[in-house]
Amino acid sequence: MGSRGTTSPAGGGSGDAAGDAPADPPGARPEGMAAWEVLLPSLDVAPRGRGRALQSALREEVRSGRLAAGVRMPSSRALAADLGVSRGVVTDAYEQLTAEGYLTGRQGAGTWVARTSAGPAVPVASGFAEDDRGGPADLRPGLPDLSLFPRAAWSAAHRRIVARLPHSAFGYPDPRGLPELRQALAELLVRRRCVAAEPDQVMVVSGVAQAHTLLGMVLRARGHRAVAVEDPGSPELRELLAAVGLSAVPVPVDPDGLRVDALAATGVRAAIVTPCHQFPSGVAYSAPRRAELAGWARSVDGLVVEDDYDGDFRYDRAPVGALQGLAPGRVAYTGSVSKSLAPGLRLGWLVAPPDVVAEAAARKRTMDLGNPVTEQAVLAHFLTTGQYDRQLRRCQRLYRPRRDALVTALAEHLPGARVGGIAAGLHAIVTLPAVYGPQERFLARAAAAGIRLRPLSDYRAAPARDAATADAPTAPAPDEVALVVGYAHLSPEAISRAVRALGTCDGGRGAGARRGNPKAAKRFIR
């Protein structure tokens, strides 16, 4: 490839005269150092690819700052000779990078690194860590069993649907969602969740998080500046509201649900709640509390946002119907397939009064123009053919034994543990006596043993023993250890192993009660 690595005179991009070009900046490589030697490895490709490889290498040198702004480039003839390529390859590279703004120059006056070029790259922010949930000793909540996703049925339906969709279906979609999916969702939610919905009130979204984001935007545009949230509740929800300019106002939860008297005292006119299975306490709002909440919304001309995140999974009786059915004009209902199929599908729904849907759809149009058409069509197929109902029954059959395995293992390996919120959903509240504490030490021992846990305190806005939260259904006594334990993603055997290992994390202080009685678990299992 010619005389690689030799020093050539610096000059113009296609000629050799420097003309009135600027002087080299401080820190630039002197002519005795061939600045382009770093380009040699990039040219170790087939001859037809060398032009593109040279352009890419030069771009990277400029972006990284190794070729600083103002540095004079060698002439095209000299660089071609040093790299062992044709002069046209170098000329084309100079012309392309000049057009892109990395280089500058003119015929006969030389080629230079542009002073507006990027320089060293900005370090990539590390705030978006990959979700690492789901290990064999991970007892954190929020993750279903991803192996239950019906791959064969979904892919078969996908092939059939893509083959039969008309060409027009692949244009920009209605931001509210495919009409056939909205129709199917309305029928499903009326039948299974007692929602009062017409297809025009249903909107397809990218999961509940997007539904809450869109509703937050609508509320903000209507003059709201704060929204009530449950305490304990989802920390991520508070962050989401802040991102759309709304303050989250924590309101305590008692054994009947969100305290409406405390809600009224805040002065807000919107609230986000989980009435069918409060997260994370697991309580179902009582009928009087539901009626009281609906009455509050009417009295303040407000809006209640219902998050039905796992309402289909109930083990002691039929699932509790949605709050939205009591006051469809005052409740926006949200849900998704994240627990029933997979969170990675990013498919959910919003059912709301027509004016709210119209405003939310206008904002979704500016955000993403709508959800992918083929995935919507496949979900519609699942709903209308009964495959979605079969998937729900399959999950319920598998999740109940896992819940029972958790309760049994706790009774055997962590004597004295109290278990709550297990009548529904995919997690439980586990409260350990003070002998296992203090909580920080217990969590540290569990982490050292490779067991991933999340304490209930992570979900509280107010300290656990404040007057406002002392009567909460999950409020632990001083020095007790309160955990939110997820079990859906683990097999019964893995659950038992993890809890058995957890039983060794008390530093021996619970050894006197080590002989647990598995029969005690029966009173928790219904």
Side-chain angles (χ1 to χ4, degrees), residues 51-74:
R52 192 169 292 179
L54 177 60
Q55 293 172 25
S56 179
L58 282 171
R59 246 186 239 107
E60 181 56 32
E61 289 297 300
V62 175
R63 285 174 182 159
S64 67
R66 290 188 292 269
L67 280 177
V71 166
R72 184 171 55 188
M73 299 295 294

Side-chain angles (χ1 to χ4, degrees), residues 147-162 164 340-341 345 374-375 377-383 385-392 394:
S147 71
L148 298 182
F149 179 71
R151 293 172 182 260
W154 190 270
S155 60
H158 195 280
R159 286 193 300 272
R160 288 195 299 270
I161 286 165
V162 169
R164 72 170 187 241
S340 54
L341 287 171
L345 291 178
T374 53
E375 301 305 308
V378 174
L379 180 58
H381 173 80
F382 260 59
L383 296 176
T385 60
Q387 293 186 70
Y388 187 73
D389 287 286
R390 287 196 291 275
Q391 173 71 6
L392 288 174
R394 179 189 180 207

Side-chain angles (χ1 to χ4, degrees), residues 43-355:
L43 298 177
D44 192 16
V45 295
R48 292 184 63 180
R50 287 174 185 168
R52 192 169 292 179
L54 177 60
Q55 293 172 25
S56 179
L58 282 171
R59 246 186 239 107
E60 181 56 32
E61 289 297 300
V62 175
R63 285 174 182 159
S64 67
R66 290 188 292 269
L67 280 177
V71 166
R72 184 171 55 188
M73 299 295 294
S75 70
S76 58
R77 182 181 293 106
L79 184 57
D82 265 29
L83 298 180
V85 297
S86 70
R87 185 181 179 190
V89 168
V90 177
T91 301
D92 289 347
Y94 280 3
E95 290 178 353
Q96 179 65 30
L97 268 69
T98 298
E100 294 175 4
Y102 292 93
L103 302 178
T104 185
R106 64 180 184 272
Q107 184 74 24
T111 301
W112 308 78
V113 178
R115 294 194 180 276
T116 56
S117 55
V122 177
V124 177
S126 59
F128 296 96
E130 183 179 352
D131 189 343
D132 61 350
R133 290 175 295 179
D138 192 341
L139 295 174
R140 292 174 295 176
L143 191 68
D145 186 344
L146 301 178
S147 71
L148 298 182
F149 179 71
R151 293 172 182 260
W154 190 270
S155 60
H158 195 280
R159 286 193 300 272
R160 288 195 299 270
I161 286 165
V162 169
R164 72 170 187 241
L165 279 175
H167 297 312
S168 59
F170 293 98
Y172 289 107
D174 185 333
R176 297 172 300 171
L178 285 184
E180 54 265 40
L181 177 55
R182 291 159 54 208
Q183 176 71 43
L185 283 170
E187 295 173 359
L188 172 83
L189 297 174
V190 168
R191 173 170 55 85
R192 289 193 66 94
R193 306 299 300 124
C194 303
V195 169
E198 296 295 332
D200 285 347
Q201 294 175 259
V202 179
M203 180 175 165
V204 180
V205 292
S206 299
V208 169
Q210 188 181 61
H212 289 168
T213 299
L214 293 169
L215 289 170
M217 291 177 173
V218 171
L219 291 170
R220 173 79 183 179
R222 292 184 174 191
H224 292 254
R225 294 297 178 265
V227 175
V229 297
E230 298 166 323
D231 186 17
S234 168
E236 291 77 15
L237 178 57
R238 300 169 203 144
E239 296 172 4
L240 184 151
L241 291 172
V244 295
L246 295 170
S247 299
V249 180
V251 177
V253 172
D254 67 19
D256 287 319
L258 188 80
R259 282 180 43 191
V260 180
D261 60 333
L263 171 63
T266 66
V268 303
R269 295 189 300 110
I272 301 178
V273 297
T274 53
C276 293
H277 186 230
Q278 199 278 327
F279 183 81
S281 73
V283 303
Y285 283 26
S286 66
R289 187 62 56 85
R290 287 166 161 251
E292 191 179 358
L293 183 57
W296 167 84
R298 296 187 189 97
S299 69
V300 299
D301 189 25
L303 182 71
V304 175
V305 179
E306 179 175 10
D307 181 356
D308 195 18
Y309 67 100
D310 65 0
D312 278 304
F313 300 108
R314 183 91 192 187
Y315 307 112
D316 57 345
R317 55 182 171 86
V320 178
L323 171 68
Q324 189 266 359
L326 288 178
R330 292 295 173 187
V331 178
Y333 174 88
T334 65
S336 76
V337 302
S338 293
K339 301 298 188 293
S340 54
L341 287 171
L345 291 178
R346 306 314 305 143
L347 283 170
W349 45 84
L350 163 63
V351 181
D355 59 322

